Coordinates of all heavy atoms in Angstrom, one line a residue:
T7 N -2.0 -12.5 -20.3 CA -2.3 -11.7 -21.5 C -2.4 -10.2 -21.2 O -2.9 -9.8 -20.2 CB -3.7 -12.1 -22.1 OG1 -4.7 -12.0 -21.0 CG2 -3.7 -13.6 -22.6
S8 N -1.7 -9.5 -22.1 CA -1.8 -8.0 -21.9 C -3.1 -7.5 -22.3 O -3.8 -8.2 -23.1 CB -0.6 -7.3 -22.6 OG -0.9 -7.4 -24.0
S9 N -3.5 -6.3 -22.0 CA -4.8 -5.8 -22.3 C -5.0 -5.6 -23.8 O -6.0 -5.8 -24.3 CB -5.1 -4.5 -21.6 OG -4.1 -3.5 -22.0
G10 N -3.9 -5.1 -24.5 CA -4.0 -4.9 -25.9 C -4.8 -3.7 -26.3 O -5.0 -3.4 -27.4
T11 N -5.2 -2.9 -25.3 CA -6.0 -1.7 -25.6 C -5.1 -0.5 -26.0 O -5.6 0.4 -26.7 CB -7.0 -1.3 -24.5 OG1 -6.2 -1.3 -23.3 CG2 -8.1 -2.2 -24.4
S12 N -3.9 -0.5 -25.5 CA -3.0 0.6 -25.9 C -2.1 0.2 -27.1 O -1.8 1.1 -27.9 CB -2.2 1.1 -24.7 OG -1.8 0.1 -23.9
M19 N 2.4 -13.4 -22.3 CA 3.6 -13.2 -21.6 C 3.9 -14.4 -20.8 O 3.0 -14.8 -20.0 CB 3.6 -12.0 -20.7 CG 3.2 -10.7 -21.4 SD 4.6 -10.2 -22.4 CE 3.8 -8.9 -23.4
V74 N -3.2 -10.5 -16.2 CA -2.4 -10.4 -15.0 C -3.4 -10.1 -13.8 O -3.2 -10.6 -12.7 CB -1.3 -9.4 -15.1 CG1 -1.7 -8.0 -15.4 CG2 -0.3 -9.4 -14.0
F124 N -7.3 0.9 -12.4 CA -7.2 2.2 -13.2 C -8.3 3.2 -12.8 O -9.4 2.8 -12.6 CB -7.2 1.9 -14.7 CG -5.9 1.2 -15.1 CD1 -6.0 -0.1 -15.5 CD2 -4.7 1.9 -15.1 CE1 -4.8 -0.8 -16.0 CE2 -3.5 1.2 -15.6 CZ -3.6 -0.1 -16.0
I204 N -4.6 3.8 -10.4 CA -3.6 4.4 -11.2 C -4.1 5.6 -11.9 O -5.2 5.5 -12.6 CB -3.0 3.4 -12.2 CG1 -2.2 2.3 -11.4 CG2 -2.1 4.1 -13.2 CD1 -1.7 1.2 -12.3
C205 N -3.5 6.8 -11.6 CA -4.1 8.0 -12.3 C -3.0 8.8 -13.0 O -3.1 10.0 -13.1 CB -4.9 8.8 -11.3 SG -4.3 8.9 -9.7
T206 N -1.9 8.1 -13.4 CA -0.9 8.8 -14.1 C -1.0 8.3 -15.6 O -1.7 7.4 -15.9 CB 0.5 8.4 -13.6 OG1 0.6 7.0 -13.3 CG2 0.8 9.2 -12.3
G207 N -0.2 9.0 -16.5 CA -0.2 8.6 -17.9 C -1.5 8.9 -18.5 O -2.2 9.9 -18.2
A208 N -2.0 7.9 -19.3 CA -3.3 8.1 -20.0 C -4.5 8.3 -19.0 O -5.5 8.8 -19.3 CB -3.6 6.9 -20.9
M209 N -4.3 7.8 -17.8 CA -5.3 7.9 -16.7 C -5.4 9.4 -16.2 O -6.4 9.7 -15.5 CB -5.1 7.0 -15.6 CG -5.1 5.5 -16.0 SD -6.8 5.1 -16.5 CE -6.4 4.1 -18.0
S227 N -2.0 6.7 -6.4 CA -1.6 5.9 -7.5 C -0.4 5.1 -7.1 O 0.7 5.6 -7.0 CB -1.2 6.9 -8.6 OG -1.2 6.4 -9.9
D228 N -0.6 3.9 -6.7 CA 0.4 3.2 -5.9 C 1.5 2.4 -6.7 O 2.5 2.2 -6.1 CB -0.2 2.4 -4.8 CG -1.0 1.2 -5.3 OD1 -1.3 1.2 -6.5 OD2 -1.4 0.4 -4.5
L229 N 1.2 2.1 -7.9 CA 2.2 1.2 -8.6 C 2.3 1.5 -10.1 O 1.4 2.0 -10.7 CB 1.8 -0.3 -8.4 CG 0.5 -0.7 -9.1 CD1 0.7 -1.5 -10.3 CD2 -0.4 -1.5 -8.1
Y230 N 3.4 1.1 -10.6 CA 3.6 1.1 -12.0 C 4.0 -0.3 -12.4 O 5.1 -0.8 -12.0 CB 4.6 2.1 -12.4 CG 5.1 2.0 -13.9 CD1 4.2 2.0 -14.9 CD2 6.5 1.8 -14.2 CE1 4.6 1.8 -16.2 CE2 6.9 1.7 -15.5 CZ 6.0 1.7 -16.5 OH 6.3 1.5 -17.8
A231 N 3.2 -1.0 -13.2 CA 3.5 -2.4 -13.6 C 2.9 -2.6 -15.0 O 2.0 -1.9 -15.4 CB 2.9 -3.3 -12.6
C232 N 3.4 -3.7 -15.6 CA 2.8 -4.0 -16.9 C 2.8 -5.6 -17.0 O 3.4 -6.2 -16.1 CB 3.5 -3.4 -18.1 SG 5.3 -3.5 -18.0
S233 N 2.1 -6.1 -18.0 CA 2.1 -7.6 -18.1 C 3.5 -8.1 -18.3 O 3.8 -9.2 -17.9 CB 1.2 -8.0 -19.3 OG -0.1 -7.5 -19.1
E234 N 4.4 -7.3 -18.8 CA 5.7 -7.8 -19.1 C 6.5 -7.9 -17.8 O 7.3 -8.8 -17.6 CB 6.5 -6.8 -20.0 CG 5.9 -6.7 -21.4 CD 4.8 -5.8 -21.6 OE1 4.3 -5.3 -20.5 OE2 4.3 -5.5 -22.7
V250 N 3.3 12.3 -9.4 CA 3.6 11.0 -8.9 C 4.9 10.5 -9.6 O 5.0 10.5 -10.9 CB 2.5 10.0 -9.1 CG1 2.9 8.6 -8.9 CG2 1.3 10.4 -8.1
Y252 N 7.5 6.9 -9.6 CA 7.5 5.5 -9.2 C 9.0 5.1 -9.0 O 9.8 5.3 -9.8 CB 6.9 4.6 -10.2 CG 5.4 4.9 -10.5 CD1 5.0 5.7 -11.5 CD2 4.5 4.5 -9.6 CE1 3.7 6.0 -11.7 CE2 3.1 4.8 -9.8 CZ 2.8 5.6 -10.8 OH 1.4 5.9 -11.0
V312 N 8.9 -2.3 -23.7 CA 7.5 -2.2 -23.2 C 6.6 -1.2 -23.9 O 5.4 -1.4 -24.1 CB 7.6 -1.9 -21.7 CG1 6.2 -1.6 -21.1 CG2 8.3 -3.0 -20.9
G313 N 7.3 -0.2 -24.5 CA 6.5 0.8 -25.2 C 6.1 2.0 -24.4 O 5.4 2.9 -24.8
D314 N 6.7 2.1 -23.2 CA 6.4 3.3 -22.3 C 7.6 4.2 -22.3 O 8.7 3.7 -22.2 CB 6.1 2.8 -20.9 CG 4.8 2.0 -20.7 OD1 4.0 2.1 -21.6 OD2 4.6 1.3 -19.7
F330 N 5.8 8.7 -15.3 CA 5.3 8.1 -16.6 C 5.1 9.3 -17.5 O 4.4 10.2 -17.2 CB 4.0 7.4 -16.3 CG 3.5 6.6 -17.5 CD1 3.9 5.3 -17.7 CD2 2.8 7.2 -18.5 CE1 3.4 4.6 -18.8 CE2 2.3 6.5 -19.6 CZ 2.7 5.2 -19.7
E332 N 4.5 8.9 -21.4 CA 3.5 8.5 -22.5 C 3.8 7.2 -23.0 O 4.8 6.6 -22.8 CB 3.6 9.6 -23.6 CG 4.9 9.6 -24.4 CD 5.0 10.7 -25.4 OE1 4.0 11.3 -25.7 OE2 6.1 11.0 -25.8
R333 N 2.8 6.6 -23.7 CA 2.9 5.4 -24.5 C 3.6 5.8 -25.8 O 3.2 6.8 -26.4 CB 1.6 4.9 -24.9 CG 0.8 3.9 -24.0 CD 1.5 2.7 -23.6 NE 1.7 1.6 -24.6 CZ 2.1 0.4 -24.3 NH1 2.5 0.1 -23.1 NH2 2.2 -0.5 -25.3
Q459 N -8.2 -4.2 -16.6 CA -7.0 -3.7 -17.3 C -7.3 -2.7 -18.4 O -6.4 -2.2 -19.1 CB -6.2 -4.9 -17.8 CG -5.2 -5.4 -16.8 CD -4.6 -6.7 -17.3 OE1 -5.1 -7.8 -16.9 NE2 -3.6 -6.7 -18.1
Y460 N -8.6 -2.5 -18.7 CA -9.0 -1.7 -19.9 C -8.4 -0.3 -19.7 O -8.6 0.4 -18.7 CB -10.5 -1.7 -20.0 CG -11.0 -0.7 -21.1 CD1 -10.9 -1.1 -22.4 CD2 -11.5 0.5 -20.8 CE1 -11.3 -0.3 -23.5 CE2 -11.9 1.4 -21.8 CZ -11.8 1.0 -23.1 OH -12.1 1.8 -24.1
K461 N -7.8 0.1 -20.8 CA -7.4 1.5 -20.9 C -7.9 2.1 -22.2 O -7.6 1.5 -23.2 CB -5.8 1.7 -20.8 CG -5.2 1.2 -19.5 CD -3.7 1.1 -19.6 CE -3.2 -0.2 -20.2 NZ -3.8 -1.4 -19.8
Ligands
LIG501 P1 -1.0 -4.3 -19.6 O1 -0.1 -4.7 -20.6 O2 -2.4 -4.4 -19.9 O3 -0.7 -4.8 -18.2 O4 -0.8 -2.7 -19.4 C1 0.4 -2.2 -18.9 C2 0.5 -0.8 -19.4 O5 -0.4 0.1 -18.6 C3 1.9 -0.2 -19.1 O6 2.8 -0.5 -20.1 C4 1.5 1.3 -19.1 O7 1.4 1.8 -20.4 C5 0.2 1.3 -18.4 N1 0.4 1.6 -17.0 C6 0.6 0.7 -16.0 N2 0.8 1.3 -14.8 C7 0.8 2.6 -15.1 C8 1.0 3.8 -14.3 N3 1.2 3.7 -13.0 N4 0.9 5.0 -14.9 C9 0.7 5.1 -16.2 N5 0.5 4.0 -17.0 C10 0.6 2.8 -16.5

Side-chain angles (χ1 to χ4, degrees):
T7 51
S8 71
S9 61
T11 45
S12 39
M19 303 289 166
V74 64
F124 288 110
I204 290 174
C205 38
T206 45
M209 296 295 137
S227 195
D228 62 350
L229 66 102
Y230 167 56
C232 45
S233 303
E234 294 85 351
V250 168
Y252 300 99
V312 170
D314 291 343
F330 188 94
E332 63 189 346
R333 268 308 283 187
Q459 270 168 265
Y460 174 76
K461 294 171 279 312

